[in-house]
């Protein structure tokens, strides 16, 4: 499936539940409009996520022997320098399973591979995303919580909704500039009802349900008819509660905020001072300083690991 059809499938699906900022969703919708205008069914002009990240990451990953910091995106390689940092770009629209967009399933595989690689000391999450698909992010959170190696999160420009859900699990969470946007802790549905267009071009929908299937797809049909109460109560509210619980567990300092604070109602904040004051992030930094902090955390972890091994050899 090409990237445009994959987006249309998601945005017109009953499972279109998002931890997503409006800006990220708008970008996705415009790409769909591009598809509709150009009828580009092949998607050949849209490179894969890994290909795009490889091009973007080259200048960022140019570590030098002088500063002895090495980064890698080849998480399972046995040829990387010992003490390397696993670089994980979390950029653009987040989807559960995609070749074209950031894939939360692939991310779990990458984290697992990097965690198992003895030459890697730490994980570096470079977050620049307004969020995306809600499904599977609970599995991402479980994986991040289960990592033994330290995780560092650097926000560039925006870490909203699903992207913050991921980035909040860093032991340290910092942003590049005071104008980076942080937060949007909330859940929504924002999709496409394409039936009107199909009817306009002469395609008639035929829909009937069996006598004992009166509830089949009912809450989604009610949503389309402007009666969203059941969908909100049974689909969106539980996901929002799951999202909030994960954020509170990852950053316990947020529990000092009142339950009705805008932080927990979907508001977004500039990094400094609001996001720092709200304890959504720990401060501001540069890219080089963030890598240096991650490297120091990784070396400290490696020292503790080696000490444990030495102790066990005596026991």
């Amino acid at each position: 499936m090409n990237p445009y059809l994959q987006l249309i499938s998601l945005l017109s699906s009953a499972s279109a539940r998002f931890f997503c900022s409006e800006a990220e969703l708008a970008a996705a919708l415009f790409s769909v409009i591009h598809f509709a205008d150009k009828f580009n069914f092949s998607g050949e002009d849209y490179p894969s996520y890994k290909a795009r990240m490889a091009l973007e990451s080259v200048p960022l990953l140019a570590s030098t022997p002088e500063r002895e910091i090495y980064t890698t995106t080849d998480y399972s390689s046995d040829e990387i320098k010992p003490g390397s940092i696993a670089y994980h770009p979390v950029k653009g629209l987040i989807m559960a399973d995609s070749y074209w967009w950031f894939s939360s399933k692939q991310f779990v595989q990458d984290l697992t591979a990097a965690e198992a690689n003895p030459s890697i000391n730490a994980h570096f999450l470079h977050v620049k995303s307004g969020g995306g698909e809600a499904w599977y992010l609970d599995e991402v959170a479980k994986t991040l919580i289960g990592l033994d190696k330290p995780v560092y999160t650097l926000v560039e420009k925006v870490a909203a909704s699903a992207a913050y859900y991921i980035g909040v699990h860093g032991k340290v969470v910092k942003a590049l500039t005071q104008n980076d946007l942080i937060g949007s802790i909330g859940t929504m549905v924002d999709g496409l009802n394409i039936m009107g267009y199909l009817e306009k071009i002469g395609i008639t929908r035929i829909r009937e349900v069996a006598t004992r299937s009166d509830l089949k797809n009912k809450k989604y049909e009610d949503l389309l008819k402007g009666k969203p109460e059941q969908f909100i109560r049974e689909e969106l509210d539980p996901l929002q509660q799951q999202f909030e619980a994960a954020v509170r567990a990852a950053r316990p300092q947020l529990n000092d905020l009142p339950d009705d604070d805008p932080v927990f109602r979907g508001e977004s904040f500039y990094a400094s001072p609001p996001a720092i004051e709200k304890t959504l992030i720990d401060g501001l930094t540069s890219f080089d300083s963030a890598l240096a902090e991650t490297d120091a955390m990784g070396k400290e972890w490696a020292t503790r690991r080696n000490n444990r091994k030495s102790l066990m050899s005596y026991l």
Side-chain angles (χ1 to χ4, degrees):
M1 184 182 292
N2 71 51
Y4 308 114
L5 288 177
Q6 187 175 36
L7 269 174
I8 290 173
S9 176
L10 173 64
L11 296 174
S12 60
S13 166
S15 65
R17 301 161 303 181
F18 295 102
F19 302 141
C20 195
S21 69
E22 290 189 5
E24 198 68 67
L25 202 54
L29 287 167
F30 273 110
S31 73
V32 171
I33 292 170
H34 166 79
F35 160 76
D37 287 345
K38 303 299 182 182
F39 295 99
N40 181 3
F41 286 92
S42 69
E44 291 177 356
D45 66 337
Y46 203 90
S48 71
Y49 179 80
K50 282 198 170 183
R52 300 200 314 276
M53 292 305 103
L55 290 174
E56 288 185 21
S57 302
V58 169
L60 299 176
L61 302 180
S63 299
T64 64
E66 288 77 16
R67 66 178 182 176
E68 298 181 339
I69 298 177
Y70 300 95
T71 56
T72 184
T73 55
D74 193 357
Y75 312 111
S76 58
S77 173
D78 57 3
E79 297 180 357
I80 61 177
K81 294 277 188 180
S84 291
I85 297 169
Y87 174 82
H88 302 279
V90 184
K91 300 183 179 182
L93 181 66
I94 292 170
M95 295 185 73
D97 192 4
S98 178
Y99 175 78
W100 311 100
W101 315 93
F102 173 89
S103 166
S104 49
K105 280 189 175 181
Q106 182 62 53
F107 181 51
V108 166
Q109 294 176 27
D110 292 343
L111 289 168
T112 303
E115 185 74 3
N117 193 326
S119 294
I120 291 175
N121 283 356
H123 303 272
F124 184 87
L125 311 186
H126 187 184
V127 179
K128 186 180 180 182
S129 168
E133 186 177 6
W135 187 78
Y136 207 75
L137 287 180
D138 56 330
E139 294 300 317
V140 173
K142 286 180 187 176
T143 302
L144 286 163
I145 291 168
L147 297 176
D148 186 42
K149 297 174 183 178
V151 179
Y152 190 106
T153 298
L154 177 66
V155 175
E156 179 182 353
K157 198 170 185 178
V158 58
S161 213
Y164 187 73
Y165 197 143
I166 293 171
V168 74
H169 290 90
K171 181 179 180 182
V172 176
V173 182
K174 290 189 177 180
L176 277 177
T177 80
Q178 63 181 355
N179 295 321
D180 293 347
L181 202 61
I182 318 291
S184 192
I185 299 170
T187 310
M188 68 180 187
V189 59
D190 196 342
L192 305 172
N193 183 355
I194 63 174
M195 292 304 167
Y197 173 74
L198 295 178
E199 290 174 359
K200 186 177 180 180
I201 61 175
I203 299 175
T204 302
R205 181 190 189 194
I206 300 172
R207 180 185 184 276
E208 293 293 344
V209 297
T211 304
R212 286 185 55 80
S213 303
D214 56 308
L215 298 181
K216 188 173 181 65
N217 295 338
K218 181 179 182 299
K219 60 185 167 186
Y220 184 64
E221 294 290 337
D222 285 348
L223 175 67
L224 294 178
K225 294 173 184 176
K227 296 183 287 184
E229 294 79 13
Q230 184 182 4
F231 189 90
I232 292 171
R233 183 176 65 253
E234 297 181 4
E235 299 284 335
L236 300 185
D237 287 349
L239 281 170
Q240 187 280 330
Q241 292 161 14
Q242 177 191 112
F243 188 178
E244 182 177 330
V247 168
R248 286 179 180 272
R251 287 187 73 83
Q253 54 268 55
L254 287 170
N255 292 320
D256 292 335
L257 299 174
D259 288 342
D260 62 349
D261 192 275
V263 162
F264 303 119
R265 293 161 56 200
E267 185 61 274
S268 299
F269 306 87
Y270 284 124
S272 180
I276 295 175
E277 292 177 348
K278 294 285 188 181
T279 70
L280 287 164
I281 61 173
D282 299 304
L284 304 181
T285 190
S286 67
F287 191 90
D288 286 348
S289 295
L291 276 181
E293 284 187 77
T294 309
D295 185 57
M297 288 165 55
K299 287 177 178 175
E300 182 181 344
W301 171 85
T303 298
R304 291 198 306 270
R305 176 197 58 185
N306 293 335
N307 289 342
R308 286 197 300 267
K309 286 183 178 180
S310 298
L311 180 60
M312 290 302 294
S313 67
Y314 284 109
L315 298 176

